[in-house]
Amino acid sequence: MSLFKRLRDLTLSNVYSLIEKAEDPIKLTDQYIRDMTEDLQDAEKAVASQIALEKKFKKLYEEQEALFLKRSEQAQIAVQEGNVDLARRVLEDKQSVEKKMVEYKEAFADNQLLANNLRAKLDEMRKQLEDMKNKRETLVARYQAAKTQTQINKTMSGFGSGTAAAGMKRMEEKMLQAEAMAEATNDLAASKGKSLDDEFANLGKNKAVEDELAALLKQYEKN
């Protein structure tokens, strides 16, 4: 039982703590589950062997017990029939049978106790393995959630950062520059597009304004 030898001083909660601190808790959990499954299989074989011994000594004890009772009856029959020599030999064999019966009974009791202890330990191993499998599902969910959160945090750390804001500001400045250039180009194009007649018409308009202004000035000079 490799795993339980390595972890004989650790409780299952300590194992969970090691798993949660691991770099990749899923891989470590899967390894523990594989090890525990192998250990459980070995334990089941060991318990089966012990149960076989328990049954063996139980059978031997029961056989000697039945033979002991048989020899007791035979001794009584031999005495009733007046065959003292036969009765004596039957009683001698009865003593030998009784000795074996006591030995087998003790061996059966010892092996039964050991088998029961192993059964209890086997049940505990099964429970721990089941707990580990259930814990794996929780760890997988937590681990995946943590990885997703970490990825989102990394993405958000660069979202709307100073670099992005500076890039947007440069784009705005270029847009303003382009718009100013377009407006200047429009003005230049409008200026170049005036005909000679337009210029003379404007010239006349300007002269009328100047004549009116001169008349007003002259009127105020007289007053």
Side-chain angles (χ1 to χ4, degrees), residues 46-63:
V47 173
S49 297
Q50 185 57 46
I51 292 175
L53 282 175
E54 173 194 358
K55 291 182 177 181
K56 173 185 176 181
F57 282 108
K58 180 182 180 181
K59 182 178 180 181
L60 290 172
Y61 160 66
E62 290 174 345
E63 288 176 350

Side-chain angles (χ1 to χ4, degrees), residues 31-68:
Q31 184 59 51
Y32 274 122
I33 290 176
R34 286 193 294 270
D35 290 343
M36 292 177 74
T37 300
E38 292 177 0
D39 295 335
L40 181 59
Q41 292 172 350
D42 292 341
E44 288 173 342
K45 292 177 181 178
V47 173
S49 297
Q50 185 57 46
I51 292 175
L53 282 175
E54 173 194 358
K55 291 182 177 181
K56 173 185 176 181
F57 282 108
K58 180 182 180 181
K59 182 178 180 181
L60 290 172
Y61 160 66
E62 290 174 345
E63 288 176 350
Q64 294 303 309
E65 183 181 35
L67 184 57
F68 175 81

